[in-house]
Amino acid sequence: MDVTATGTPTGTPFSTLIRVASHEQHTEAETSPFMGHLLGGRLGVEAYARYTEQLWFVYRELESAAASLKDDPIAGPFIQPELFRTAELERDLAHLRGADWRAGVAPLPATTAYAARVAECAESWPAGYVAHHYTRYLGDLSGGQIIRDKAEKTWGFDRKGDGVRFYVFEEIGNPAAFKRGYRELLDAVNADDLEKKRIIDECKRAFDFNGAVFRELGAEFPLSA
Ligand code: HEM
């Protein structure tokens, strides 16, 4: 079998390469203290609301770029309105914080940096935008469902109701099939090997941004015990 310098068999689908390359960071994200405490039911609903608020700043950038990227040869195929989350986040925030939630939201420094990088990619590097798109949406369709279940049980939200709508993809009837289709899009991405490597690097950066947001949330919501 032909093997590249990194030891990966040549011809490995890009969707596999990107998943394997971010695997370690994924484990870190999953096991971050903030996530652990949140999902372990050790934090109040305020911590969950603050996290939801941070997501809103990021998804606003991911989705405000959609119109200008939808015909882009690289990012265009990934722009699928059934994934859009901004409206759901706004509904969740109205539930969590009340109708005037906008007056009280503020990005953490890590969120500001994350959102700015998404905006920068959207504007000047569509392949980099794909990395951010993958990191968020494929995660939401996967582990997001675990988070939803825990949030419903911990803070008593209605099943798939206000408070957890972010995690509910009403227009995606079969998430497993959707993810398969998404991986096919990744495998067919209109980029050469060098650009694919850059996408993988940007994906790692996207995970870093998420880790930084978790760290700052963890500092804001330390466990008192
Ligand atoms: C406690 C938090 C998390 C849990 C429990 C979790 C769980 C999971 C699970 C079970 C999968 C596999 C789904 C499958 O094989 O189809 C998955 C995939 C994924 N997760 Fe997470 N996750 C968490 C946090 C995150 C975070 C913070 C990110 C990044 C922002 C993320 C990004 C991803 C991505 C991109 C995938 C898709 C991997 C692929 O198949 O290419 N996850 N997650």
Side-chain angles (χ1 to χ4, degrees):
M1 184 193 303
D2 285 345
V3 174
T4 65
T6 56
T8 314
T10 51
T12 305
F14 183 54
S15 60
T16 305
L17 292 178
I18 195 165
R19 187 181 70 235
V20 170
S22 57
H23 180 79
E24 204 173 306
Q25 279 174 296
H26 185 270
T27 306
E28 260 173 54
E30 257 181 294
T31 55
S32 73
F34 178 75
M35 255 304 144
H37 296 327
L38 197 72
L39 300 185
R42 292 183 288 278
L43 291 171
V45 72
E46 177 52 27
Y48 176 77
R50 189 80 167 114
Y51 172 48
T52 305
E53 203 185 287
Q54 303 311 302
L55 292 173
W56 179 72
F57 287 102
V58 175
Y59 282 80
R60 256 192 346 170
E61 296 304 343
L62 278 168
E63 290 166 16
S64 65
S68 60
L69 285 174
K70 78 175 176 14
D71 298 321
D72 181 83
I74 296 172
F78 292 89
I79 307 293
Q80 301 167 85
E82 59 269 47
L83 287 172
F84 291 175
R85 300 288 84 200
T86 305
E88 282 75 8
L89 283 166
E90 295 184 350
R91 208 163 151 187
D92 287 340
L93 285 166
H95 180 73
L96 292 162
R97 288 275 169 76
D100 63 347
W101 61 272
R102 279 171 201 271
V105 291
L108 290 161
T111 305
T112 302
Y114 185 6
R117 179 63 184 158
V118 172
E120 184 177 42
C121 288
E123 240 178 80
S124 57
W125 184 35
Y129 175 87
V130 169
H132 287 281
H133 194 279
Y134 162 78
T135 307
R136 282 302 337 173
Y137 293 109
L138 220 57
D140 300 332
L141 282 165
S142 312
Q145 302 316 302
I146 298 166
I147 300 175
R148 175 178 62 75
D149 185 59
K150 293 280 185 179
E152 288 167 0
K153 289 180 178 139
T154 306
W155 300 293
F157 303 122
D158 287 346
R159 189 173 135 73
K160 300 191 174 183
D162 287 344
V164 291
R165 292 200 187 271
F166 170 71
Y167 302 98
V168 183
F169 291 83
E170 297 277 5
E171 292 166 50
I172 298 181
N174 183 341
F178 188 91
K179 282 196 284 184
R180 275 197 298 279
Y182 193 100
R183 290 192 183 106
E184 283 166 18
L185 290 180
L186 285 173
D187 294 342
V189 72
N190 192 358
D192 63 18
D193 284 353
L194 182 59
E195 188 69 342
K196 283 181 184 166
K197 190 184 168 308
R198 290 196 190 107
I199 297 175
I200 288 176
D201 288 344
E202 188 66 25
C203 171
K204 292 181 174 177
R205 209 169 158 189
F207 270 94
D208 284 343
F209 279 121
N210 281 277
V213 172
F214 287 160
R215 274 193 300 283
E216 291 183 7
L217 284 166
E220 200 168 293
F221 296 94
L223 283 184
S224 48

